[in-house]
Amino acid sequence: TLQLTDTKFTAGLEAKEAALELKCGDVVVKGKSDANGSYRITANANGKCSISVVHDGQTASVDVVLFDKAARYRLVLEKKGDTWTLRRV
């Protein structure tokens, strides 16, 4: 189970209402950040997964690991040159 909560996307501008996708093998959960750039995704899966966000027409991803208990990740979306990157902090 993974719950990503109270996460902000920052890069001078927050990624408000951005499309999100969590992939864990065959399990795919889609979501959207709220008007503040925060979101919560819950998935019943374990192991290595990838979370992606679409912002300014680009997709940025980062790997996360899911366990039986809920996990909390703080992620930052930043622009490096012309490319958006997503990283854990």
Side-chain angles (χ1 to χ4, degrees), residues 3-78:
Q3 292 183 324
L4 297 168
T5 60
D6 302 326
T7 302
K8 296 280 185 172
F9 294 113
T10 58
L13 297 173
E14 292 179 359
K16 300 173 183 177
E17 300 181 358
L20 305 166
E21 184 175 87
L22 177 68
K23 288 185 184 179
C24 304
D26 293 337
V27 176
V28 177
V29 179
K30 295 186 179 192
K32 187 176 178 181
S33 62
D34 67 16
N36 296 315
S38 297
Y39 66 93
R40 176 183 298 230
I41 295 178
T42 302
N44 290 321
N46 288 318
K48 186 176 177 180
C49 302
S50 176
I51 186 163
S52 303
V53 60
V54 177
H55 183 66
D56 271 352
Q58 295 183 24
T59 302
S61 301
V62 68
D63 290 337
V64 293
V65 178
L66 278 62
F67 299 99
D68 291 332
K69 294 186 178 182
R72 187 174 187 169
Y73 287 93
R74 181 169 170 83
L75 306 174
V76 174
L77 179 68
E78 18 181 46

